[in-house]
Every structure is written in C-alpha cells, then in structure tokens.
Amino acid sequence: MATVGTVGTVGTQRGTRRRRGTGTGLLLVAVLTAGLAAGCTTSDGPPDDGRGTTRESPAQDAPPALAVKIDNAPAARPQTGLDDADVVYTEQVEGGSSRLIAVYATALPESVGPVRSAREADLELLRQFDRPLLAFSGAQSKLKPLIEEAPLEAVTPESEPDAYIRDSDRSAPHNLFLRPERVMDDPPGEAALTTGFRFGRPPADGAPQNELTVRYPAARFTFTWSGAQDRWLVSMDGTPAVTSGGERLAPATVVVQHVTVRPSGFRDFLGNTTPFTETVGSGEATVLRDGRAWEANWKRPSAEDGTSFTTDSGEPLNFARGQVWVVYAEAS
C-alpha cells in the first residue's frame, strides 16, 4: 500500500512518424500549431486555456504522442530525457518498487531511458491518447497479444533496432536508451496531449505546503517546494533526482492520485505478482502547485477519456503550466 506523508503548514511544426513498427499502429502525419515546451512556461494563465484536450473535444488528425517506459531502479539513475517530458507517471511494479512512463508531445530529447518492459496497466493508461507510440523493451509472452491488440504502436528494439543504443558505461538491463528522433521527425505538439488536464489560474484557496512524500512498499517519492525555481524538486528513495547533466527534476504540478492497485494475472520471472493500477474510475487526489496543496476529486469515465480534477465544491482544478507528475498511490 502506498502512503502519503507531508511536511509544512499543512509556430507551426510537423509531427511525423518516421517509420512503421510491427503493425500495431498507423502512420500519422499532420501539421498543427505546437504549444510551449514542457517546463518553460509560467504558472499563471487564464482560468482555462484548453491545454490537454479530452475525447469530448478531440484533436483531429493530430500526430501521436510518444510514451516511454522508463526504469526507476537505483542503478538506472540518473535517467535521461525525463526533464523534457510533458507528463511523467509513476506506478508500482513487482516487489513494491516503481517504474515511470514519460509522455512527450511538445519536445523530444536526444535520449530517453533506461527503457524497460511494459505492463498490462500501461495499456489502460495509454488508451486516453490517440494511438500513441509506446517505447518499451520486453514483455511477458502472455501479455504480447494484448499489446498487439491495443490501439497503440509498439516501438521495441526488435521493431526499431536503429532507434535504440546501449550505454557501455552502464550494466544491463539498465543501459538501453531510446533515440526519439529515430522514430519521430518532430514533436507532435500539445494537441496530442489528450490527458483531460486543464491549465490556468489556481482556485482561490489551497493550503501552504512545503513537502510531500508518497511511499510504495519498496520505493518513495518526495516533492519539495522551491520558491526560487517556482517548481517542486523531486527526490527518489531519499536521494535528489537529477538529470544526466546534474540538474534537479522539477515539475510545475504534482498530482498524488489515489487509485485501486490490485493483483493482475501476470507474474515476473521470480514469481512475484504484477500489480495492476486502475486508472479508470474516480477517487481522491492531492494537487500540488505554486507551493500550495488542494484536496481534489478525480474522474476518468472510460479508458478512452482523459482524467478531470475538481475541488470539493466541483470547480475545475487548473494545473500550473509546465511539466506534470502523476503519482499513483494506493487508496486506503
């Protein structure tokens, strides 16, 4: 079970798929107006600027987002490319440890990784996007048919060998990295982010918050507010999380989303049951932005929908412009 602890007072671009994979997705080419790159925006804005479309207002002919399954074992750190992601999701895996899914739409880093294996819950999470590219390395044999049937395009070392590289300075399996420019010519743009998130000015209330920690059985994430950077500084397992260049990972908004985490029908090679994180449904959440915290309610009616967040009074809860981290914590 995940637990939460707190400290404090309480132009035009072309997004082009460079080549096909193994038949799990379609080639999508379109021209659209791109938004601002993640992490390079300000917190304030209009009450709702429309960033993050939902299925009720789909982005027609938008190129697909790129999702990458990223290793989060201590030996995999520092990861590359996380600071360029628009959204980073954290999830429990076998043994109570964690993995990450980074989603890219407004910027493509030179390298992303280390890349690791897919899980069943990833397929439900990614249904909110329109046939996204999913980069991963390996999956259980019983899961592979489900991946092939899912509305996404698998980007693996087998389907796209030129898109991956091994880092000789790291040991396997923590040394496989994706080169996104080998699978996409340009970032697809904000229209690919069909998350349901809204961006703009925050509600009037919100409790001052300095720090918040989410604990998995064998992992923990801590987010500490930096007024100087106007961002939440990330720590993993008690250690500052940094880029390959040594800079702190620092999202503008952090969402601790309380969800059901149940056993799936899959196990790892050691016999540990793979958790399934249910991201469809409704529940409670805590949203951090601007050095404050809001208790919220989340709702995702179906896998094809994005996730909406509202205050207890039913007011839409806008996020700060910039990168969003969504931490899936097991509901008590």
Side-chain angles (χ1 to χ4, degrees):
M1 177 180 296
T3 59
V4 178
T6 63
V7 174
T9 52
V10 171
T12 302
Q13 296 180 342
R14 179 177 298 275
T16 305
R17 177 72 170 102
R18 186 182 294 273
R19 58 175 70 84
R20 287 183 183 269
T22 55
T24 56
L26 298 176
L27 179 68
L28 296 176
V29 180
V31 176
L32 53 89
T33 300
L36 294 171
C40 298
T41 56
T42 60
S43 297
D44 291 336
D48 176 19
D49 60 17
R51 183 176 187 264
T53 57
T54 65
R55 292 302 177 195
E56 287 72 34
S57 56
Q60 298 296 327
D61 299 323
L66 170 64
V68 185
K69 193 65 180 288
I70 299 179
D71 194 352
N72 198 34
R77 303 170 191 158
Q79 295 97 338
T80 66
L82 279 180
D83 51 324
D84 286 315
D86 292 278
V87 186
V88 176
Y89 296 97
T90 81
E91 61 181 1
Q92 285 192 55
V93 292
E94 300 82 5
S97 58
S98 64
R99 290 274 173 89
L100 309 176
I101 299 178
V103 179
Y104 300 88
T106 62
L108 294 178
E110 180 179 348
S111 171
V112 181
V115 179
R116 292 298 299 274
S117 55
R119 298 293 189 276
E120 182 186 11
D122 303 339
L123 307 183
E124 177 178 281
L125 173 63
L126 296 176
R127 283 288 297 274
Q128 65 190 296
F129 303 107
D130 187 9
R131 302 195 68 87
L133 279 62
L134 173 60
F136 65 95
S137 175
Q140 296 185 30
S141 58
K142 293 182 179 179
L143 181 59
K144 289 180 179 179
L146 299 182
I147 296 174
E148 292 174 356
E149 295 169 2
L152 55 80
E153 182 170 352
V155 178
T156 68
E158 293 75 28
S159 69
E160 303 281 0
D162 292 340
Y164 288 88
I165 189 172
R166 293 279 182 182
D167 184 348
S168 60
D169 293 331
R170 301 195 188 205
S171 60
H174 314 294
N175 64 348
L176 182 66
F177 293 83
L178 174 74
R179 293 179 291 186
E181 78 281 357
R182 296 295 183 94
V183 296
M184 304 182 79
D185 289 330
D186 293 298
E190 284 185 327
L193 293 173
T194 49
T195 57
F197 302 164
R198 296 165 62 107
F199 293 77
R201 298 187 184 279
D205 55 357
Q209 188 81 35
N210 294 330
E211 186 172 283
L212 184 145
T213 294
V214 180
R215 293 177 174 87
Y216 292 173
R220 73 182 188 271
F221 297 88
T222 298
F223 302 92
T224 304
W225 175 248
S226 169
Q229 296 189 37
D230 199 27
R231 293 289 185 269
W232 297 92
L233 305 183
V234 183
S235 296
M236 300 179 187
D237 303 327
T239 301
V242 298
T243 67
S244 55
E247 297 181 1
R248 290 292 294 271
L249 296 177
T253 302
V254 177
V255 179
V256 180
Q257 186 173 336
H258 297 280
V259 298
T260 297
V261 180
R262 59 170 174 81
S264 73
F266 298 89
R267 296 177 181 271
D268 67 9
F269 70 97
L270 295 175
N272 297 312
T273 300
T274 301
F276 187 102
T277 299
E278 296 185 1
T279 57
V280 172
S282 60
E284 298 178 345
T286 300
V287 175
L288 305 178
R289 60 166 294 179
D290 305 328
R292 306 181 77 85
W294 284 264
E295 298 307 312
N297 299 299
W298 68 269
K299 184 176 181 180
R300 186 183 178 197
S302 72
E304 290 77 17
D305 293 311
T307 305
S308 62
F309 293 86
T310 57
T311 64
D312 288 338
S313 63
E315 179 185 359
L317 210 166
N318 295 327
F319 295 174
R321 294 280 267 168
Q323 187 180 74
V324 178
W325 277 54
V326 179
V327 182
Y328 290 121
E330 187 173 0
S332 59

